[in-house]
Amino acid sequence: MKRNVLITGGAGFIGSNFIRYLQKAEPEINIVNLDLLTYAGSLENLKKLSKNSDYHFFQGDICNQHLVESLLREHNIDTIIHFAAESHVDRSLEGPGAFIQTNIVGTHTLLEAARQVWLNEKRISDKPVRFHHISTDEVYGSLSPTAPPFEETTPYAPNSPYAASKASSDHLVRAYYHSFELPITISNCSNNYGPYQFPEKLIPLMILNALTGKPLPIYGDGQQIRDWLYVEDHCEAIWKIIQHGSTGESYNIGGGNQPTNLEIVETICALLDDKAPLPDNEPHRQLIQFVKDRPGHDRRYAMNITKIKNTLGWQPNYNLEKGLEKTVQWYLDNIDWLNKIIEEKDYQQWVQINYQKRGN
Ligand code: NAD
Ligand code: DAU
């Protein structure tokens, strides 16, 4: 079935990777990308798109219901894949307001637009429709060292304003299925890494700082654990869910790679020692600095992916060794992209706000 897809947040890290993935997997597909181009979104992320696919970009806000409804009608959209969000935990600690607006109000606006155009006006009558919501493992809270990984049935216990806003949006999406029979699916994914990630997040930040000889700031003791997933694996999982997942269901997605933050940074340092040695061959790890911790920092995340594995046959292709090597190499090969991104947006200001107070 040829789909007409609305992607929100397609100029961000995962959204832009997903558009590239989809154009390759489904060359016939029609894609409409709605993105506000906040500090986290950039058209630089979309320069290498296929010229053969039907693709339209609109700069706009998901909170604008009139705009969303017109896009749904004009492009006969049958599938919404909702990535747009304020996505950085540290920024949510500085200013939660934007997270409430985009993540909660914005998701609600999209749901209302879909309900109006798909269910009330019945614009798409010849094929099934789908609203897929991209969420996070952070909605489940923090695991103790020996607790079993999060399952889809684990009760929500979000700890940051970011996680709480995502939890709230998940609940709204679920409620629209139960109350209005809007055909939805939800995926909750662990930490992604890979090409085009904005360098305020751990892995690209460490690569950028290491390349420029700046300190590598580790929050607290660096023993926090995340379940790292290469972004291309995430894209594949999302598309599987949209094609074959059951409506009303949530699916956990994770990488099965659970090192400590310190181990991740040490691995990046070792890769750069090899690929981009410092003068006099000093080890990059000498740049590591332990700084004041993130308030309320979740200690450990881990995902149980049995459901998506058993029902949809998805599992990650990349282990951390292969994924990190590819990622570090991508940043080395795309220094121009990195330089444009940090000049284009409020990057320097953010680095000052976030790290000065941490004694870095
Ligand atoms: P990102 O911050 O890189 O990109 C977000 C995109 O949304 C940007 O292009 C931004 O311009 C756009 N956007 C923000 N507000 C908007 C608005 N009001 N209207 C339209 N567009 C708007 O985020 P990401 O890391 O690519 O994450 C994408 C989604 O995946 C988010 O929903 C996030 O919660 C979720 N997620 C991320 C990860 C991760 O590790 N990055 C893991 C699990 C889930
Ligand atoms: O778990 C999924 C989540 O992963 C997504 O929902 C979020 O959108 C995404 O931003 C990410 O959240 P994190 O807070 O885990 O990502 P971040 O890269 O900011 O931090 C990863 C870990 O590294 C976390 O334990 C904090 C730590 N860290 C981060 C930075 C930026 C440091 O030690 N030093 C740093 O400078």
Side-chain angles (χ1 to χ4, degrees):
M1 183 187 77
K2 187 176 166 189
R3 290 176 190 260
N4 299 324
V5 179
L6 173 68
I7 290 175
T8 70
F13 162 49
I14 306 175
S16 63
N17 276 285
F18 184 77
I19 292 175
R20 268 184 301 279
Y21 171 85
L22 198 51
Q23 286 191 331
K24 220 168 171 184
E26 308 280 338
E28 297 290 292
I29 206 144
N30 297 331
I31 297 174
V32 173
N33 177 7
L34 173 63
D35 196 299
L36 189 56
L37 297 182
T38 67
Y39 80 93
S42 172
L43 296 180
E44 289 295 325
N45 299 351
L46 294 162
K47 283 201 160 154
K48 295 191 178 153
L49 293 190
S50 156
K51 303 270 180 283
N52 300 329
S53 291
D54 198 346
Y55 169 79
H56 303 271
F57 175 77
F58 293 89
Q59 182 171 6
D61 194 335
I62 56 164
C63 298
N64 180 342
Q65 190 171 334
H66 176 72
L67 169 67
V68 177
E69 284 186 16
S70 358
L71 291 176
L72 296 183
R73 291 188 194 104
E74 278 163 29
H75 296 267
N76 289 320
I77 297 295
D78 50 66
T79 305
I80 298 174
I81 312 178
H82 175 32
F83 293 91
E86 287 294 333
S87 71
H88 194 190
V89 174
D90 289 323
R91 287 192 191 240
S92 82
L93 298 166
E94 288 298 321
F99 289 72
I100 307 305
Q101 183 63 18
T102 290
N103 299 0
I104 306 178
V105 177
T107 301
H108 175 248
T109 307
L110 286 174
L111 289 164
E112 271 299 288
R115 183 160 85 98
Q116 173 60 26
V117 175
W118 288 347
L119 304 187
N120 296 346
E121 297 171 17
K122 298 191 174 26
R123 288 273 173 155
I124 308 289
S125 52
D126 55 337
K127 50 183 168 176
V129 292
R130 176 68 67 84
F131 185 112
H132 183 73
H133 178 59
I134 310 292
S135 192
T136 171
D137 57 0
E138 301 209 8
V139 298
Y140 298 123
S142 186
L143 289 167
S144 68
T146 54
F150 300 128
E151 295 176 17
E152 286 81 358
T153 49
T154 302
Y156 277 24
N159 289 322
S160 69
Y162 163 69
S165 67
K166 292 297 289 187
S168 175
S169 64
D170 291 9
H171 291 320
L172 281 169
V173 174
R174 183 176 186 276
Y176 269 62
Y177 171 71
H178 284 277
S179 301
F180 306 120
E181 295 180 16
L182 188 75
I184 65 97
T185 36
I186 299 175
S187 49
N188 294 86
C189 187
S190 56
N191 285 62
N192 283 216
Y193 66 101
Y196 298 99
Q197 188 166 28
F198 192 74
E200 65 182 355
K201 305 284 172 72
L202 181 74
I203 288 179
L205 177 98
M206 293 299 164
I207 297 172
L208 173 65
N209 282 15
L211 286 176
T212 46
K214 295 203 178 114
L216 308 179
I218 309 262
Y219 295 168
D221 62 5
Q223 295 307 304
Q224 304 81 8
I225 289 175
R226 301 291 183 264
D227 186 344
W228 295 93
L229 180 72
Y230 190 64
V231 64
E232 199 178 297
D233 280 332
H234 188 189
C235 296
E236 188 186 62
I238 293 166
W239 191 231
K240 276 231 153 114
I241 296 169
I242 291 166
Q243 288 181 295
H244 308 295
S246 303
T247 51
E249 292 291 316
S250 286
Y251 296 86
N252 279 356
I253 306 171
N257 301 298
Q258 291 142 11
T260 64
N261 289 345
L262 185 57
E263 284 166 343
I264 282 269
V265 176
E266 284 173 337
T267 307
I268 293 170
C269 288
L271 283 164
L272 287 173
D273 288 347
D274 193 33
K275 290 173 184 287
L278 284 173
D280 300 329
N281 283 325
E282 290 286 336
H284 284 87
R285 70 184 314 284
Q286 71 178 3
L287 298 170
I288 290 176
Q289 268 186 23
F290 291 90
V291 301
K292 198 163 167 229
D293 208 352
R294 173 185 281 175
H297 198 170
D298 284 344
R299 199 71 182 159
R300 172 176 167 244
Y301 305 144
M303 286 301 234
N304 180 329
I305 61 163
T306 307
K307 179 174 174 180
I308 188 167
K309 207 169 168 178
N310 288 350
T311 59
L312 304 182
W314 177 88
Q315 61 183 7
N317 288 313
Y318 284 83
N319 60 26
L320 197 56
E321 194 189 350
K322 191 166 127 196
L324 267 185
E325 200 280 328
K326 211 171 162 182
T327 302
V328 168
Q329 191 59 51
W330 186 88
Y331 282 89
L332 287 173
D333 294 342
N334 289 276
I335 295 282
D336 287 353
W337 174 85
L338 202 49
N339 286 333
K340 276 194 194 128
I341 290 292
I342 62 180
E343 278 160 21
E344 195 180 70
K345 305 288 178 173
D346 69 342
Y347 187 71
Q348 299 307 334
Q349 196 191 344
W350 167 251
V351 168
Q352 271 219 331
I353 292 172
N354 195 40
Y355 294 100
Q356 229 168 33
K357 66 180 179 212
R358 297 202 144 91
N360 181 233

